[in-house]
Amino acid sequence: MSDVRGSAVDIPTEDGVADSYLVHPADARPRPAVLLYQDAYGLRPHLRSMADRLAAAGYTVLVPNVFYRLGRTPVVDLPAFIDPAADPSIWERLGPVVSSLTPELVERDAGAYLRWLADSPLTAEGPVALTGYCMGARLALWTAAAFPDRVAAAAGFHGGRLATDDPGSPHLGAPDITAELYFGHADDDPSLPPEQIARFEEALTGAGVRHVCEVYRGAHHGYTQADTPAYDREADERHWAALLDLLKRTF
């Protein structure tokens, strides 16, 4: 683990400015870039700590506020420990925010994030990697499909709605993906039932995408998020091992 330096950065997009968190090893040498996509709870201290840990492994990490069109972070005020079961109003407030982000907007924003990383002196030349959590797993898939020449690897953890009947479902972009993928699914996840897991696997295999998909038995949706009741330390450490292994193979 090396010392890291984090800072707030603003990224111009076609629709405004995305407030973001950038972190990198303290020596400020150019490093391979990782674009980290948030869960629905947004850019907050826990996600910054996850980005810090990734940067300490030798990467320049960008975490954008993907909901920037609705305001700067925090878009929705949340408690330090997020427990929707104790406060159902959390999802009443978050639902419209999450649904406001369409695949078309994700692709447009991803172009801005990738251009910004390419221009940064803290980023090494070459493709980037993606990692996403919960809804961020969908964003990673959409980005990998839209920018195959820029994405070398993409990971998703406890992702939901990855292979639905919707015409914009992320799995439909599989034929355009050239990146290597790793997905760690939560066990007994209502947002990703067994039929979607099977459909997702079939889509990747049929398209010839290099991938590994695993179900983390006993781990609930959100298992990497330490500021929620879903957190599972064992599953989280498994996620870190899988993610870092993917990055080492592809960079």
Side-chain angles (χ1 to χ4, degrees), residues 35-38 106 110 129-147 151 153-157 162 170 177 179 181-183:
L35 176 58
L36 190 158
Y37 277 127
Q38 64 177 65
V106 171
L130 316 171
T131 185
Y133 301 86
C134 300
M135 60 164 275
R138 294 198 301 276
L139 275 57
L141 282 168
W142 282 325
T143 301
F147 299 93
V151 179
F157 299 92
L162 300 180
I177 294 175
L181 305 186
Y182 176 90
F183 275 73

Short mmCIF file of all heavy atoms in Angstrom, two decimals, residues 35-38 106 110 129-147 151 153-157 162 170 177 179 181-183:
data_model
loop_
_atom_site.label_atom_id
_atom_site.label_comp_id
_atom_site.label_asym_id
_atom_site.label_seq_id
_atom_site.Cartn_x
_atom_site.Cartn_y
_atom_site.Cartn_z
N LEU A 35 -11.88 3.99 -13.93
CA LEU A 35 -13.11 4.76 -13.75
C LEU A 35 -14.03 3.95 -12.85
O LEU A 35 -14.42 2.83 -13.21
CB LEU A 35 -13.76 5.01 -15.12
CG LEU A 35 -15.11 5.72 -15.15
CD1 LEU A 35 -15.04 7.09 -14.48
CD2 LEU A 35 -15.60 5.85 -16.59
N LEU A 36 -14.32 4.48 -11.68
CA LEU A 36 -15.13 3.78 -10.69
C LEU A 36 -16.54 4.36 -10.69
O LEU A 36 -16.74 5.54 -10.43
CB LEU A 36 -14.50 3.91 -9.30
CG LEU A 36 -15.06 3.04 -8.17
CD1 LEU A 36 -14.02 2.88 -7.05
CD2 LEU A 36 -16.35 3.59 -7.57
N TYR A 37 -17.51 3.50 -11.00
CA TYR A 37 -18.91 3.92 -11.05
C TYR A 37 -19.60 3.61 -9.72
O TYR A 37 -19.59 2.48 -9.24
CB TYR A 37 -19.64 3.20 -12.18
CG TYR A 37 -19.46 3.83 -13.54
CD1 TYR A 37 -19.03 3.06 -14.62
CD2 TYR A 37 -19.76 5.16 -13.77
CE1 TYR A 37 -18.89 3.61 -15.90
CE2 TYR A 37 -19.62 5.72 -15.03
CZ TYR A 37 -19.19 4.95 -16.09
OH TYR A 37 -19.06 5.50 -17.34
N GLN A 38 -20.25 4.60 -9.19
CA GLN A 38 -20.92 4.56 -7.90
C GLN A 38 -22.13 3.64 -7.88
O GLN A 38 -22.66 3.25 -8.91
CB GLN A 38 -21.40 5.97 -7.58
CG GLN A 38 -22.46 6.45 -8.59
CD GLN A 38 -23.03 7.80 -8.28
OE1 GLN A 38 -22.34 8.79 -8.33
NE2 GLN A 38 -24.32 7.82 -7.95
N VAL A 106 -25.63 7.95 -20.04
CA VAL A 106 -24.43 7.28 -19.53
C VAL A 106 -23.34 7.27 -20.59
O VAL A 106 -22.17 7.58 -20.31
CB VAL A 106 -24.76 5.84 -19.09
CG1 VAL A 106 -23.48 5.07 -18.78
CG2 VAL A 106 -25.68 5.85 -17.87
N ALA A 110 -19.82 9.10 -20.27
CA ALA A 110 -18.63 8.26 -20.28
C ALA A 110 -17.58 8.81 -21.24
O ALA A 110 -16.38 8.79 -20.95
CB ALA A 110 -18.99 6.83 -20.64
N ALA A 129 -9.58 0.91 -17.23
CA ALA A 129 -10.43 -0.14 -16.67
C ALA A 129 -11.62 0.50 -15.99
O ALA A 129 -11.59 1.69 -15.62
CB ALA A 129 -9.64 -1.00 -15.68
N LEU A 130 -12.67 -0.27 -15.82
CA LEU A 130 -13.89 0.18 -15.17
C LEU A 130 -14.23 -0.77 -14.03
O LEU A 130 -14.00 -1.97 -14.12
CB LEU A 130 -15.07 0.18 -16.14
CG LEU A 130 -14.87 0.72 -17.55
CD1 LEU A 130 -16.10 0.41 -18.40
CD2 LEU A 130 -14.61 2.22 -17.51
N THR A 131 -14.79 -0.22 -12.97
CA THR A 131 -15.41 -1.06 -11.95
C THR A 131 -16.67 -0.36 -11.48
O THR A 131 -16.69 0.87 -11.33
CB THR A 131 -14.47 -1.38 -10.78
OG1 THR A 131 -15.11 -2.30 -9.89
CG2 THR A 131 -14.06 -0.14 -10.02
N GLY A 132 -17.74 -1.13 -11.27
CA GLY A 132 -19.02 -0.53 -10.88
C GLY A 132 -19.72 -1.36 -9.83
O GLY A 132 -19.56 -2.59 -9.78
N TYR A 133 -20.52 -0.69 -9.02
CA TYR A 133 -21.18 -1.32 -7.88
C TYR A 133 -22.68 -1.05 -7.94
O TYR A 133 -23.11 0.08 -8.19
CB TYR A 133 -20.57 -0.78 -6.58
CG TYR A 133 -19.10 -1.07 -6.54
CD1 TYR A 133 -18.18 -0.19 -7.13
CD2 TYR A 133 -18.63 -2.27 -6.03
CE1 TYR A 133 -16.83 -0.49 -7.16
CE2 TYR A 133 -17.27 -2.57 -6.06
CZ TYR A 133 -16.38 -1.68 -6.62
OH TYR A 133 -15.04 -2.00 -6.67
N CYS A 134 -23.46 -2.11 -7.73
CA CYS A 134 -24.93 -2.01 -7.84
C CYS A 134 -25.28 -1.45 -9.21
O CYS A 134 -24.93 -2.03 -10.21
CB CYS A 134 -25.50 -1.18 -6.70
SG CYS A 134 -25.16 -1.84 -5.05
N MET A 135 -25.94 -0.28 -9.26
CA MET A 135 -26.27 0.31 -10.56
C MET A 135 -25.02 0.61 -11.37
O MET A 135 -25.06 0.64 -12.60
CB MET A 135 -27.09 1.57 -10.38
CG MET A 135 -26.39 2.67 -9.59
SD MET A 135 -27.15 4.29 -9.77
CE MET A 135 -26.34 4.85 -11.26
N GLY A 136 -23.89 0.83 -10.70
CA GLY A 136 -22.64 1.12 -11.40
C GLY A 136 -22.17 -0.02 -12.27
O GLY A 136 -21.42 0.20 -13.24
N ALA A 137 -22.59 -1.26 -11.96
CA ALA A 137 -22.24 -2.39 -12.82
C ALA A 137 -22.89 -2.24 -14.19
O ALA A 137 -22.29 -2.59 -15.22
CB ALA A 137 -22.66 -3.70 -12.16
N ARG A 138 -24.11 -1.73 -14.22
CA ARG A 138 -24.77 -1.48 -15.51
C ARG A 138 -24.01 -0.40 -16.28
O ARG A 138 -23.80 -0.50 -17.49
CB ARG A 138 -26.23 -1.04 -15.30
CG ARG A 138 -27.12 -2.08 -14.71
CD ARG A 138 -28.59 -1.77 -14.93
NE ARG A 138 -29.01 -0.49 -14.36
CZ ARG A 138 -29.37 -0.31 -13.10
NH1 ARG A 138 -29.33 -1.32 -12.26
NH2 ARG A 138 -29.76 0.87 -12.66
N LEU A 139 -23.62 0.65 -15.58
CA LEU A 139 -22.90 1.74 -16.22
C LEU A 139 -21.58 1.25 -16.82
O LEU A 139 -21.19 1.67 -17.91
CB LEU A 139 -22.66 2.87 -15.23
CG LEU A 139 -23.78 3.89 -15.05
CD1 LEU A 139 -25.09 3.23 -14.64
CD2 LEU A 139 -23.38 4.96 -14.03
N ALA A 140 -20.91 0.35 -16.10
CA ALA A 140 -19.67 -0.20 -16.62
C ALA A 140 -19.90 -0.98 -17.91
O ALA A 140 -19.11 -0.88 -18.86
CB ALA A 140 -19.01 -1.08 -15.56
N LEU A 141 -20.97 -1.75 -17.96
CA LEU A 141 -21.26 -2.52 -19.17
C LEU A 141 -21.60 -1.61 -20.34
O LEU A 141 -21.11 -1.81 -21.46
CB LEU A 141 -22.42 -3.48 -18.90
CG LEU A 141 -22.07 -4.75 -18.14
CD1 LEU A 141 -23.35 -5.46 -17.70
CD2 LEU A 141 -21.22 -5.69 -19.01
N TRP A 142 -22.45 -0.62 -20.11
CA TRP A 142 -22.79 0.31 -21.18
C TRP A 142 -21.55 1.02 -21.70
O TRP A 142 -21.38 1.22 -22.90
CB TRP A 142 -23.81 1.34 -20.68
CG TRP A 142 -25.21 0.82 -20.60
CD1 TRP A 142 -25.81 -0.09 -21.43
CD2 TRP A 142 -26.19 1.16 -19.62
NE1 TRP A 142 -27.11 -0.31 -21.03
CE2 TRP A 142 -27.38 0.44 -19.93
CE3 TRP A 142 -26.21 2.01 -18.51
CZ2 TRP A 142 -28.54 0.54 -19.16
CZ3 TRP A 142 -27.36 2.12 -17.75
CH2 TRP A 142 -28.52 1.39 -18.07
N THR A 143 -20.65 1.41 -20.79
CA THR A 143 -19.43 2.11 -21.20
C THR A 143 -18.50 1.20 -21.98
O THR A 143 -17.94 1.60 -23.00
CB THR A 143 -18.72 2.67 -19.96
OG1 THR A 143 -19.59 3.57 -19.27
CG2 THR A 143 -17.43 3.40 -20.35
N ALA A 144 -18.33 -0.04 -21.51
CA ALA A 144 -17.46 -0.98 -22.21
C ALA A 144 -17.96 -1.25 -23.63
O ALA A 144 -17.16 -1.41 -24.56
CB ALA A 144 -17.36 -2.28 -21.43
N ALA A 145 -19.27 -1.31 -23.81
CA ALA A 145 -19.84 -1.55 -25.13
C ALA A 145 -19.72 -0.33 -26.03
O ALA A 145 -19.51 -0.46 -27.25
CB ALA A 145 -21.30 -1.97 -25.00
N ALA A 146 -19.85 0.84 -25.45
CA ALA A 146 -19.82 2.08 -26.25
C ALA A 146 -18.41 2.50 -26.64
O ALA A 146 -18.23 3.16 -27.67
CB ALA A 146 -20.50 3.21 -25.47
N PHE A 147 -17.41 2.10 -25.83
CA PHE A 147 -16.04 2.53 -26.09
C PHE A 147 -15.08 1.33 -26.05
O PHE A 147 -14.17 1.27 -25.22
CB PHE A 147 -15.62 3.58 -25.05
CG PHE A 147 -16.46 4.82 -25.07
CD1 PHE A 147 -17.57 4.94 -24.25
CD2 PHE A 147 -16.16 5.86 -25.94
CE1 PHE A 147 -18.36 6.08 -24.28
CE2 PHE A 147 -16.94 7.00 -25.98
CZ PHE A 147 -18.05 7.11 -25.15
N VAL A 151 -11.55 0.71 -23.43
CA VAL A 151 -11.75 -0.05 -22.19
C VAL A 151 -11.10 -1.43 -22.31
O VAL A 151 -11.50 -2.25 -23.14
CB VAL A 151 -13.24 -0.20 -21.85
CG1 VAL A 151 -13.42 -1.01 -20.57
CG2 VAL A 151 -13.89 1.18 -21.71
N ALA A 153 -10.67 -3.51 -19.48
CA ALA A 153 -11.25 -4.41 -18.48
C ALA A 153 -12.42 -3.72 -17.81
O ALA A 153 -12.42 -2.49 -17.65
CB ALA A 153 -10.20 -4.81 -17.44
N ALA A 154 -13.40 -4.52 -17.42
CA ALA A 154 -14.55 -3.98 -16.70
C ALA A 154 -15.03 -4.99 -15.68
O ALA A 154 -15.11 -6.19 -15.98
CB ALA A 154 -15.69 -3.62 -17.66
N ALA A 155 -15.32 -4.50 -14.48
CA ALA A 155 -15.80 -5.37 -13.41
C ALA A 155 -17.09 -4.80 -12.86
O ALA A 155 -17.33 -3.59 -12.90
CB ALA A 155 -14.75 -5.48 -12.29
N GLY A 156 -17.91 -5.69 -12.34
CA GLY A 156 -19.16 -5.27 -11.71
C GLY A 156 -19.44 -6.15 -10.51
O GLY A 156 -19.21 -7.36 -10.55
N PHE A 157 -19.92 -5.52 -9.43
CA PHE A 157 -20.16 -6.26 -8.19
C PHE A 157 -21.56 -5.96 -7.66
O PHE A 157 -21.99 -4.81 -7.65
CB PHE A 157 -19.09 -5.93 -7.16
CG PHE A 157 -17.71 -6.29 -7.65
CD1 PHE A 157 -16.92 -5.36 -8.32
CD2 PHE A 157 -17.22 -7.58 -7.49
CE1 PHE A 157 -15.66 -5.71 -8.80
CE2 PHE A 157 -15.97 -7.93 -7.96
CZ PHE A 157 -15.19 -6.99 -8.62
N LEU A 162 -29.04 -6.53 -14.98
CA LEU A 162 -28.02 -6.64 -16.01
C LEU A 162 -28.53 -7.29 -17.29
O LEU A 162 -27.93 -7.11 -18.36
CB LEU A 162 -26.83 -7.47 -15.49
CG LEU A 162 -26.11 -6.94 -14.25
CD1 LEU A 162 -24.97 -7.88 -13.88
CD2 LEU A 162 -25.61 -5.52 -14.47
N PRO A 170 -28.31 -3.84 -20.41
CA PRO A 170 -26.85 -3.85 -20.64
C PRO A 170 -26.34 -5.08 -21.37
O PRO A 170 -25.37 -4.99 -22.14
CB PRO A 170 -26.27 -3.78 -19.23
CG PRO A 170 -27.33 -3.16 -18.40
CD PRO A 170 -28.64 -3.62 -18.99
N ILE A 177 -18.44 -5.52 -26.94
CA ILE A 177 -17.45 -5.46 -25.87
C ILE A 177 -16.19 -6.25 -26.26
O ILE A 177 -16.28 -7.41 -26.67
CB ILE A 177 -18.04 -6.02 -24.56
CG1 ILE A 177 -19.15 -5.10 -24.05
CG2 ILE A 177 -16.95 -6.16 -23.49
CD1 ILE A 177 -19.88 -5.62 -22.83
N ALA A 179 -13.40 -5.74 -24.00
CA ALA A 179 -12.73 -5.79 -22.71
C ALA A 179 -12.91 -7.16 -22.07
O ALA A 179 -13.85 -7.90 -22.38
CB ALA A 179 -13.29 -4.72 -21.78
N LEU A 181 -14.04 -9.13 -18.78
CA LEU A 181 -15.00 -8.80 -17.74
C LEU A 181 -14.88 -9.74 -16.55
O LEU A 181 -14.57 -10.92 -16.70
CB LEU A 181 -16.44 -8.90 -18.27
CG LEU A 181 -16.82 -8.11 -19.51
CD1 LEU A 181 -18.32 -8.25 -19.77
CD2 LEU A 181 -16.43 -6.64 -19.38
N TYR A 182 -15.18 -9.18 -15.38
CA TYR A 182 -15.38 -10.00 -14.17
C TYR A 182 -16.61 -9.46 -13.46
O TYR A 182 -16.70 -8.25 -13.19
CB TYR A 182 -14.19 -9.94 -13.21
CG TYR A 182 -14.49 -10.73 -11.95
CD1 TYR A 182 -14.16 -12.08 -11.87
CD2 TYR A 182 -15.14 -10.15 -10.86
CE1 TYR A 182 -14.48 -12.83 -10.74
CE2 TYR A 182 -15.46 -10.88 -9.73
CZ TYR A 182 -15.13 -12.21 -9.67
OH TYR A 182 -15.45 -12.96 -8.56
N PHE A 183 -17.56 -10.37 -13.13
CA PHE A 183 -18.75 -9.95 -12.40
C PHE A 183 -18.96 -10.87 -11.21
O PHE A 183 -18.99 -12.09 -11.33
CB PHE A 183 -19.98 -9.96 -13.32
CG PHE A 183 -20.12 -8.69 -14.10
CD1 PHE A 183 -19.26 -8.41 -15.15
CD2 PHE A 183 -21.05 -7.73 -13.75
CE1 PHE A 183 -19.33 -7.23 -15.85
CE2 PHE A 183 -21.15 -6.53 -14.44
CZ PHE A 183 -20.28 -6.28 -15.50
#
